[in-house]
Amino acid sequence: MAKPMHDTPMLDQLESGPWPSFVTGLKRLANDNDMMVDLMGQLETSYETRKGYWKGGTVGVIGYGGGVIPRFTELKDENDKALYPEAAEFHTLRIMPPPGMHYDTNTIRKFCDIWEEHGSGLIAFHGQSGDIMFQGCTTDKVQPAFDELNEMGFDMGGAGPAVRTGMSCVGAARCEQSCFDEGRTMRTLVNNALDDLHRPALPYKMKYKVSGCPNDCMNSIQRADFATIGTWRDDMKVDQVEVKNYVETRGRKYIIDNVITRCPTQALSLNDDDTLDVDNKNCVRCMHCINVMTKALSPGDDKGVSILIGGKRTLKIGDLMGTVIVPFHKLETDEDFEWLEELATEVLDFFAENALEHERTGEMIERIGLTNFLEGIGIEIDPNMIERPRMNPYVRTDDWDEEAAKWNERQAAQ
Ligand code: SF4
């Protein structure tokens, strides 16, 4: 039997809206869990005073320098005794999820059992960092909880100035638009940077995200320092019979209004006989038409990846989208994956040595210039590298002819 609940009039209000409330979940856990009872007491105090009362500290597991987010209460009485003693230590374990965040029920049940035994029972799938957040654990239970999760095959995620938890879409396992082996790619990238993931020693965070097609379900363009995104370089596949079926079912007006006119580069045209023409040279692989007419259209056969560097949310200079540094590369053979590993190492090393403290890759590139960055990691300039599609090629137009000539030579030599 848990200790009696604290009065929580402000938290109770959050249950009165039309949507399921996290407060209901906390109360359910608090039925037989003193830690959750006191957590709600502390939370209610925060709502009343509009202040947070958690401070950090140092808590970890053996062999790792990060991955645990320490939380110690600051709500103490005059004798320095915690006002909510059962929740005085409420640490979070960041655990790296599988690609696409897909689990079987057995795994989730085991997670729940482990966390009910060692922690508060409160698990967030998933935190903003992409991790499974096992929230609410005392310092002495952190190691045994992690050991059991580790035994299941799960590893600690990143925290602090380190390589962060890698993220990948579920890819070929469940998605027909997949353009490469996403699982292997994420594993390659993460394993290659394991030391920097578990022992924070970088200027700031470094995120790898892997999206199997240009839909970019992992939001890697906006969020990842190192984004690997699937694409294709031959022609999109068109099944004209399915196009005709589609036109028959939805009508020409629907197709014209919702597919043809919404192509950002006007690369589509619907013929009088209800077949579809694609101007592949002008298609920028935005995926819109493929997403709408899934049966009729699909990515081409010559698939590979684009690599973009420097995406991030706010901080010093506002949001940045990743910049294409490798427009296309195949990712199929062992050699291709070795190439990816080498490139990732170059980028990571350059970032470690050249970024200022608390500076993301995107900001570093803005500061030192993209050309210097490319030289630093040993990548040749390619006119296909773009910062903002069709708006602002970073290759200066006064050198354009020379660069284009060099590129043509390289193409001819391949
Ligand atoms: Fe146009 Fe996007 Fe379809 Fe390419 S993928 S043809 S850019 S709508």
Side-chain angles (χ1 to χ4, degrees):
M1 185 67 192
K3 64 198 274 190
M5 291 286 282
H6 305 284
D7 279 342
T8 54
M10 295 195 80
L11 286 175
D12 296 346
Q13 273 188 27
L14 296 178
E15 290 184 285
S16 58
W19 305 105
S21 167
F22 75 96
V23 176
T24 313
L26 296 188
K27 283 184 178 169
R28 196 170 56 232
L29 285 170
N31 277 333
D32 53 7
N33 183 330
D34 289 349
M35 190 183 233
M36 296 309 288
V37 173
D38 274 4
L39 176 83
M40 292 191 67
Q42 166 142 347
L43 202 52
E44 179 71 17
T45 314
S46 281
Y47 275 56
E48 275 164 16
T49 60
R50 302 185 185 189
K51 281 186 189 161
Y53 294 101
W54 297 115
K55 66 172 176 182
T58 314
V59 180
V61 292
I62 295 166
Y64 291 71
V68 181
I69 315 298
R71 290 285 177 266
F72 294 95
T73 185
E74 283 188 312
L75 275 176
K76 307 262 178 80
D77 63 16
E78 59 279 5
N79 299 318
D80 209 25
K81 282 236 164 70
L83 290 183
Y84 299 103
E86 298 298 334
E89 293 176 358
F90 203 84
H91 314 313
T92 294
L93 263 71
R94 284 187 177 175
I95 299 293
M96 204 172 336
M101 298 167 170
H102 274 64
Y103 307 85
D104 62 2
T105 44
N106 191 31
T107 301
I108 296 184
R109 285 205 180 91
K110 276 196 202 154
F111 280 165
C112 294
D113 290 345
I114 291 171
W115 205 237
E116 269 166 24
E117 188 188 339
H118 299 293
S120 69
L122 181 65
I123 307 175
F125 289 93
H126 300 83
Q128 224 181 3
S129 58
D131 299 272
I132 318 164
M133 307 290 273
F134 288 82
Q135 292 172 319
C137 189
T138 54
T139 308
D140 58 331
K141 292 289 179 62
V142 165
Q143 184 72 50
F146 175 65
D147 288 346
E148 287 197 33
L149 292 166
N150 203 213
E151 198 63 31
M152 287 173 70
F154 285 86
D155 201 2
M156 196 73 97
V163 169
R164 294 297 188 88
T165 295
M167 286 179 76
S168 160
C169 65
V170 73
R174 291 175 70 104
C175 178
E176 61 196 324
Q177 316 300 10
S178 159
C179 291
F180 61 105
D181 186 340
E182 299 82 1
R184 181 173 177 188
T185 305
M186 176 163 126
R187 196 178 164 80
T188 303
L189 290 168
V190 167
N191 281 0
N192 185 50
L194 219 50
D195 198 29
D196 281 303
L197 200 154
H198 294 316
R199 283 162 278 279
L202 295 174
Y204 199 30
K205 56 181 117 163
M206 160 65 94
K207 297 184 178 179
Y208 295 111
K209 293 190 198 292
V210 177
S211 287
C213 80
N215 273 326
D216 193 12
C217 293
M218 290 292 103
N219 286 338
S220 59
I221 292 184
Q222 293 98 328
R223 298 296 170 93
D225 297 274
F226 191 109
T228 310
I229 303 175
T231 187
W232 66 97
R233 63 180 167 183
D234 57 346
D235 293 352
M236 178 192 300
K237 287 196 277 191
V238 185
D239 182 336
Q240 297 292 3
V241 176
E242 285 299 339
V243 173
K244 281 189 181 176
N245 276 344
Y246 206 82
V247 179
E248 211 171 285
T249 347
R250 310 303 292 252
R252 282 181 69 85
K253 180 172 166 33
Y254 181 90
I255 306 294
I256 291 169
D257 288 353
N258 292 285
V259 184
I260 311 292
T261 56
R262 293 199 179 163
C263 170
T265 52
Q266 299 179 351
L268 297 172
S269 61
L270 189 63
N271 299 314
D272 290 342
D273 61 355
D274 290 348
T275 55
L276 185 77
D277 283 344
V278 182
D279 173 5
N280 281 284
K281 278 216 159 1
N282 270 316
C283 165
V284 288
R285 280 64 171 157
C286 80
M287 292 298 283
H288 172 69
C289 59
I290 297 179
N291 291 340
V292 181
M293 301 170 71
T294 337
K295 270 191 174 172
L297 304 174
S298 40
D301 287 320
D302 192 6
K303 295 170 176 166
V305 295
S306 297
I307 308 279
L308 293 87
I309 303 287
K312 63 165 209 65
R313 276 240 54 206
T314 45
L315 261 187
K316 300 184 189 70
I317 56 172
D319 294 20
L320 290 176
M321 303 274 262
T323 299
V324 177
I325 65 149
V326 178
F328 185 88
H329 202 286
K330 298 294 276 185
L331 205 49
E332 288 171 0
T333 61
D334 289 350
E335 289 81 56
D336 294 335
F337 280 93
E338 272 165 32
W339 164 83
L340 180 71
E341 223 170 64
E342 278 164 24
L343 177 66
T345 309
E346 288 288 348
V347 173
L348 188 61
D349 288 352
F350 189 88
F351 172 66
E353 280 162 27
N354 294 285
L356 301 176
E357 205 177 317
H358 225 257
E359 184 177 61
R360 294 283 295 269
T361 42
E363 290 157 340
M364 173 190 74
I365 293 169
E366 287 270 319
R367 180 171 54 79
I368 65 172
L370 188 57
T371 318
N372 286 330
F373 173 69
L374 291 173
E375 262 173 31
I377 61 169
I379 287 211
E380 298 245 28
I381 290 172
D382 183 321
N384 290 308
M385 294 172 181
I386 41 170
E387 191 171 9
R388 290 175 191 82
R390 296 191 174 221
M391 280 180 66
N392 185 5
Y394 80 89
V395 180
R396 290 180 53 150
T397 46
D398 47 3
D399 291 335
W400 176 262
D401 292 344
E402 278 167 42
E403 292 302 336
K406 277 194 237 160
W407 181 71
N408 280 330
E409 271 169 33
R410 284 202 300 274
Q411 292 294 303
Q414 271 175 16

